[in-house]
Amino acid sequence: MKSFNLQIRLRAHNCSVRKFGRGHKVRLAATVLTRNSKLDGVVEFAYGPVVQVPADRYLKVFMTAPPTLPKFRQQLILAVLMLCSLLIWLDNTVLSTTLETLADPVRGLGANPGQLQWATGSYTLAFATLMFTAGALGDRFGHRTVFSSGLVIFAGSSLWAAYASGAGQLIAARAAMGVGSALITPAMMAILMWTFTGPARAATIGIFSTSAGVGMAAGPVLAGFLLDHFWWGSVFLINVPVAVLALVGLAVLIPNFRSPTLRPLDPAGMLLSISGLVALAYGLIRAGQVAAWSRTDVWAPIVVGLALLAVFVLVELRAKMPSFDPRLFAQRTFGGGNVALGLLLFGVAAITFYNAFYLQGALGFSPMKAGLANIPTALGALAGAPLASRLVRRLPLRLVTVPALTVAALTMGGYAFIGLQTPLAWIEILLLVQGLSIGMVIGPVTAALISDLPLEQAGAGSAVTNTVRQTGSVMGIAVGGTIMSTMYRRAIEPSLDGAPGPVQDQARVSAEQARHVATAIHRPTLAQAADNAFVHAIHVGAGWIAVIALLGAAVLLITLPAAGKKKGPIPEPDYEEARSSV
């Protein structure tokens, strides 16, 4: 017994003591596994050995900290994680440059606006609704296992998307890619947190976050290069070798970390959220296709979707450990901040969707030129985040983010003043200011929302924030695309008088289809009318998008505190009390 107690004390002593911030100490401490089962020996878990004791002794069981990996191996793991993050961010941005090509009946798939909305939204929808479940899967089966599964799905669905023979196949492949990304993202962050500790973790997160900026800037340019030299499927095919390389790195370098606490998988919540968002998005997109809200195939899916989402909230409220915790919205700052971020991402997704067709369709830019024209947005976002981080150290968060979100909304509304003869320099300035202001909102608000929560709610809060942001993007694409389609159809109608029936039908679908048929029948006036109708649709849509983004600024103004709260030092946990509580 004496030697056993000595072993327990040694294990407890070996628990690492890390310093965070201003000298605060946190012991990666002894964890009681059980006292209801007869246990003996030492079991090797993925994250370190755990001493087990007989239940009748009522002794504590201490878990050692994750073993510190060699520094060189940590750097290689970081390189693999950054490669995967870059892959996801590239995929998020390359599609916007590809939309115009996919709409072309000759160079692409001849996809109509509704199909392109689904090609964009199906990925985001799957990503939004599966991400919080994917984190629980990683706790249960190991984060490397889930990560590898996500990469395999992502690579396979990228290959499927590259060789899709129709818009329907592309939509399905994009949804599968969203499933892969949902499995990858939580596991990626968990592995990062397990691999690095203490001050090294904060520095590593800063380095890791640069992959997002690189992906935002490089994605449109890479897509433009590929589209100028190869067929449209190349923008998806490029994912496959990168995913294979990442899989090799995972297998060789990364242990299969898993959490000692298993979270529930919440299949009911997952199914309700997916089906509710799919039905809601279908009804909204269908409204743009038929230009009528009174039809049963428009309002019925919207009603069903809202009902399913209401049931989803009720189910999560009754769950003991919900994956998506609606109770967090009762906290004024957290709830209001998430609503504002959702409205901002709504506007970002919608205006990005418009911009893709404006640059390549209305202005006639090549994919490469359009990709280069979008770089100011990424550069602005990269500059905005650190700028806001410095400002919020001196000024209240509300004083920094509310004006920034207001400016972002006004830049979206600025699209109401662009036309076919707008100088490129003005467009670049608009995009730069837009990216700068968006970057000044998303990072600081997200950090404030999570840090404002108790530590035990940080995981649930992160899941809520990510889900709301992705849902805002889905709704932005659905609603923004529907406004554009409806306004375009109304504006093009007077120009179709006297044209043959098939020509009228094709021209009503989209400006891309109208330009194609105008070339085929040698009717340049129809192409000019399509351009004018499209610009009119952008003007109307931009006005609505700006109003919605301004609503987000108003929500921030109301819910964020007027002055920053001064937080005292974080008390060090009383470990002796914790040890005597069992």
Side-chain angles (χ1 to χ4, degrees), residues 189-532:
M189 293 306 300
I191 290 172
L192 186 71
M193 301 299 282
W194 278 107
T195 304
F196 298 91
T197 56
R201 177 185 291 171
T204 302
I205 291 175
I207 297 171
F208 178 78
S209 64
T210 61
S211 60
V214 173
M216 288 172 60
V221 178
L222 176 63
F225 173 81
L226 293 173
L227 291 172
D228 278 352
H229 294 82
F230 305 99
W231 97 111
W232 62 265
S234 61
V235 301
F236 301 113
L237 195 62
I238 195 69
N239 296 337
V240 178
V242 179
V244 171
L245 180 62
L247 278 170
V248 174
L250 278 175
V252 173
L253 297 170
I254 299 177
N256 196 23
F257 299 119
R258 59 169 62 90
S259 172
T261 304
L262 299 182
R263 287 183 285 161
L265 296 181
D266 194 14
M270 182 181 67
L271 291 175
L272 285 168
S273 60
I274 292 175
S275 55
L277 284 174
V278 168
L280 180 58
Y282 175 84
L284 293 172
I285 293 174
R286 185 62 179 161
Q289 292 176 318
V290 300
W293 293 89
S294 58
R295 292 177 45 148
T296 305
D297 58 348
V298 172
W299 63 262
I302 293 175
V303 171
V304 170
L306 292 173
L308 289 172
L309 291 175
V311 174
F312 164 68
V313 171
L314 293 176
V315 168
E316 296 300 293
L317 285 173
R318 293 191 173 189
K320 293 182 179 179
M321 294 181 64
S323 297
F324 180 97
D325 193 352
R327 299 175 187 86
L328 294 175
F329 284 98
Q331 302 181 31
R332 178 175 173 176
T333 299
F334 184 86
N338 272 291
V339 169
L341 286 179
L343 293 173
L344 173 60
L345 269 295
F346 177 104
V348 170
I351 212 68
T352 301
F353 191 76
Y354 287 6
N355 195 50
F357 295 103
Y358 172 68
L359 292 176
Q360 294 185 58
L363 298 186
F365 286 8
S366 68
M368 186 67 181
K369 187 175 180 180
L372 291 170
N374 279 301
I375 287 181
T377 305
L379 296 179
L382 286 173
L387 174 61
S389 179
R390 294 187 183 94
L391 289 175
V392 295
R393 294 173 190 168
R394 300 174 175 85
L395 301 171
L397 180 65
R398 186 168 77 173
L399 195 59
V400 174
T401 57
V402 172
L405 184 45
T406 302
V407 172
L410 294 177
T411 61
M412 295 173 190
Y415 277 77
F417 301 97
I418 62 174
L420 299 175
Q421 306 301 325
T422 303
L424 179 59
W426 287 110
I427 299 172
E428 299 298 271
I429 293 172
L430 187 69
L431 293 176
L432 178 63
V433 176
Q434 185 177 107
L436 182 69
S437 54
I438 291 170
M440 292 181 66
V441 176
I442 293 179
V445 172
T446 302
L449 297 184
I450 300 303
S451 63
D452 196 54
L453 293 174
L455 183 61
E456 65 273 12
Q457 291 183 316
S462 179
V464 168
T465 299
N466 282 309
T467 302
V468 169
R469 287 167 58 173
Q470 298 298 328
T471 301
S473 297
V474 172
M475 293 297 103
I477 294 166
V479 175
T482 293
I483 293 173
M484 184 178 71
S485 297
T486 303
M487 293 299 104
Y488 165 79
R489 187 175 288 109
R490 292 179 182 176
I492 193 68
E493 197 65 42
S495 302
L496 299 180
D497 291 340
V503 171
Q504 292 187 24
D505 293 339
Q506 192 169 351
R508 289 190 187 102
V509 172
S510 66
E512 289 71 31
Q513 297 279 0
R515 295 186 196 103
H516 176 72
V517 73
T519 302
I521 64 174
H522 305 289
R523 190 174 174 180
T525 55
L526 178 59
Q528 182 65 35
D531 288 339
N532 292 331

Side-chain angles (χ1 to χ4, degrees), residues 62-202:
F62 293 97
M63 181 184 73
T64 64
T68 302
L69 301 175
K71 188 172 182 180
F72 180 66
R73 186 176 177 184
Q74 288 182 332
Q75 292 172 342
L76 291 177
I77 291 174
L78 176 60
V80 172
L81 296 180
M82 289 187 69
L83 181 66
C84 296
S85 176
L86 179 63
L87 180 66
I88 292 176
W89 277 99
L90 283 173
D91 188 73
N92 283 338
T93 54
V94 296
L95 186 63
S96 61
T97 308
T98 315
L99 291 174
E100 178 69 25
T101 303
L102 291 172
D104 191 284
V106 177
R107 295 181 299 130
L109 298 175
N112 62 46
Q115 291 169 330
L116 294 175
Q117 286 171 269
W118 276 114
T120 306
S122 62
Y123 173 92
T124 310
L125 194 150
F127 187 76
T129 52
L130 294 178
M131 191 160 49
F132 51 79
T133 300
L137 289 173
D139 292 342
R140 188 175 297 267
F141 300 109
H143 294 293
R144 185 184 66 183
T145 300
V146 174
F147 200 153
S148 302
S149 302
L151 277 173
V152 170
I153 294 172
F154 191 85
S157 53
S158 295
L159 191 64
W160 181 15
Y163 292 99
S165 59
Q169 285 191 23
L170 179 62
I171 292 168
R174 287 284 298 168
M177 291 172 71
V179 173
S181 293
L183 295 175
I184 290 171
T185 302
M188 185 164 53
M189 293 306 300
I191 290 172
L192 186 71
M193 301 299 282
W194 278 107
T195 304
F196 298 91
T197 56
R201 177 185 291 171

Side-chain angles (χ1 to χ4, degrees), residues 4-24:
F4 184 81
N5 287 336
L6 177 62
Q7 188 180 21
I8 290 289
R9 286 194 294 272
L10 287 174
R11 293 292 183 184
H13 178 72
N14 287 336
C15 289
S16 301
V17 176
R18 309 290 183 192
K19 291 186 178 181
F20 297 94
R22 301 173 181 173
H24 302 140

Side-chain angles (χ1 to χ4, degrees), residues 53-70:
V53 299
D56 55 2
R57 307 274 179 93
Y58 294 101
L59 294 176
K60 293 193 180 285
V61 181
F62 293 97
M63 181 184 73
T64 64
T68 302
L69 301 175

